[in-house]
């Protein structure tokens, strides 16, 4: 790339010096300035093969200059730097036509590599700018983990690619899906969210694809499905791992052929929706168990996006606390603040319920605490009082029927939380408790013979072996 010139605009002389030295060592010619005016003048004169600019400059905002640059020189790549590390900065940079966005402080080698990639690729013209930015940010956090999420979201808003969001319960998967829609090409279309785990399995196909009058008992009129409701927009399928195999087959056809039929209907219906899915489960394990189609997984997993749990980004807790406190005040809860020690105690906690658990804790503290400043000891008391997630005590079967046994088990489980509710992810936790015990009991009953055990369970032997491995259940030694 020798002979290429990079234009730098930043009001911090130290940053200009460091960038100039690094890019010069990489073989580029460099011109640097502290103002947007000088940068614009150089661009109009035809100077520069790439631009690296801060957002806030003494005489203007780079986001106001970038559209003018892209209109004048559409192929000139622009890399934006900013210390205001929010998702809106990343999204705005992408909307205005920037090649990439790097949060400050940035890795110098990464910036040089980004400049190199930018110069190797021809930059497409920026898409038309949509509606103005909302005042309230959809996602909060400035940690490195969240910065990477922001950069990916910003790029994906300019595409219609299918995205699979993976993360623990409470990490904000629907918030990310909404951001992809609200700032993407389909922002003027509907956003329709469906939680697979909240719909009876026998009704999922009708819910998604609609049904005709008389299609089944109780279908007294035609009903539009979620695909029809989301036409021209985005369909968000939450907890996709809970979708029954029959519905998975129908969804695969939609992805392959771009059409579907209603339940009870014959005429194919063309569809134009962007599909975003989310799950807190390991779909590869479900594939091994035979409960999720592998071909569907690869159709949905075009762009995987993993959301970090709160314990991996505890430095975001102060920002999250300020955000939730301000939001709660708008909703009528009393105005309070947290002491520095209280924040530190919260940062030391593991947060199994993630951001949702943090929000609920803060709302509870605002409602019950008398003092205007919530102390570390108050936070400690609340966290200590929260039930430890160890599941219920063993239940005596005592000859009861299996449904009665399970009802007793679950009643004891919910009772262990007092007046509260267990955190999200209940299905996987209950299965993690029950399935290993079931497998051990069946192996014991069949003297460790895995073929007989598989037959008793009604699954094939390979599936049983996968379950034994996944649940870390050891076969009976010397048998099977």
């Amino acid at each position: 790339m020798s002979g290429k010139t990079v234009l730098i605009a930043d009001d911090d002389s130290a940053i200009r010096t460091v960038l100039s030295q690094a890019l010069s060592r990489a073989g580029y010619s460099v011109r640097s300035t502290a103002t947007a005016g000088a940068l614009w003048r150089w661009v109009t004169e035809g100077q520069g093969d790439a631009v690296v600019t801060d957002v806030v400059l003494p005489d203007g905002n780079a986001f106001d200059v970038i559209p003018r640059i892209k209109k004048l020189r559409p192929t000139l790549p622009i890399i934006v730097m900013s210390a205001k590390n929010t998702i809106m900065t990343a999204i705005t940079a992408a909307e205005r036509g920037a090649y990439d966005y790097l949060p400050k402080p940035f890795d110098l080698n990464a910036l040089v590599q980004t400049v190199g990639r930018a110069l190797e690729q021809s930059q497409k013209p920026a898409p038309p700018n949509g509606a103005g930015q909302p005042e309230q940010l959809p996602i909060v956090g400035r940690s490195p983990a969240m910065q990477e999420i922001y950069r990916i979201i910003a790029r994906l808003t300019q595409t219609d690619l299918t995205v699979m969001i993976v993360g623990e319960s409470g990490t904000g998967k629907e918030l990310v899906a909404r951001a992809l829609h609200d700032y993407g090409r389909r922002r003027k279309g509907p956003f329709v969210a469906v939680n697979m785990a909240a719909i009876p399995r026998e009704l999922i196909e009708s819910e998604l694809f609609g049904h005709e009058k008389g299609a089944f008992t109780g279908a007294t009129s035609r009903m539009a499905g979620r695909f029809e409701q989301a036409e021209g927009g985005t369909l968000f399928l939450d907890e996709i791992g809970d979708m029954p195999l029959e519905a998975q087959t129908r969804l695969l056809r939609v992805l392959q052929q771009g059409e579907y039929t209603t339940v009870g209907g014959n005429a194919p219906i063309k569809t134009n929706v962007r599909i975003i899915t989310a799950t807190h489960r390991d779909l590869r394990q479900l594939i091994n168990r035979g409960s999720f189609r592998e071909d569907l997984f690869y159709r949905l997993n075009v762009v995987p996006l993993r959301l970090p749990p709160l314990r991996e980004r505890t430095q975001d807790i102060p920002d999250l606390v300020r955000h939730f406190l301000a939001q709660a005040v708008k909703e009528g809860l009393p105005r309070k603040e947290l002491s520095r020690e209280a924040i530190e105690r919260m940062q030391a906690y593991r947060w199994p319920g993630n951001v949702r658990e943090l929000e609920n804790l803060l709302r509870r503290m605002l409602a019950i605490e008398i003092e205007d400043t919530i102390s570390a000891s108050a936070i400690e008391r609340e966290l200590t009082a929260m039930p430890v997630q160890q599941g219920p005590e063993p239940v005596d079967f005592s000859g009861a029927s299996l449904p009665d046994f399970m009802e007793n088990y679950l009643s004891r489980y919910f009772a262990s939380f007092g007046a509260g509710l267990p955190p999200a992810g209940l299905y996987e936790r209950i299965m993690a408790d029950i399935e290993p015990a079931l497998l051990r009991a069946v192996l014991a009953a069949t003297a460790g013979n895995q073929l007989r055990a598989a037959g008793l369970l009604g699954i094939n032997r390979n599936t049983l072996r996968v379950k034994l491995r996944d649940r870390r259940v050891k076969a009976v030694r010397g048998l099977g």
Side-chain angles (χ1 to χ4, degrees), residues 88-103:
M88 291 309 307
T89 309
I91 289 175
T92 304
E95 286 183 337
R96 301 299 168 90
Y99 172 80
D100 205 350
Y101 152 75
L102 296 176

Side-chain angles (χ1 to χ4, degrees), residues 32 158 175 178 187 246 275-276 305 310 341 364 414:
S32 65
Q158 309 307 312
L175 281 178
R178 285 187 177 275
R187 60 169 67 91
E246 297 80 6
I275 294 179
I276 300 174
L305 181 58
L310 186 54
E341 293 78 13
R364 193 159 61 248
F414 278 91

Side-chain angles (χ1 to χ4, degrees), residues 393-445:
E393 296 178 3
V395 179
D396 182 14
F397 189 86
S398 300
S401 68
L402 187 58
D404 290 342
F405 170 73
M406 288 305 304
E407 185 174 349
N408 191 9
Y409 173 95
L410 292 173
S411 296
R412 292 275 296 275
Y413 185 84
F414 278 91
S416 69
F417 292 91
L421 289 174
L426 180 60
Y427 178 86
E428 186 59 31
R429 285 199 307 280
I430 294 295
M431 290 303 296
D433 284 341
I434 294 175
E435 194 170 44
L438 173 62
L439 297 176
R440 284 193 294 268
V442 171
L443 285 170

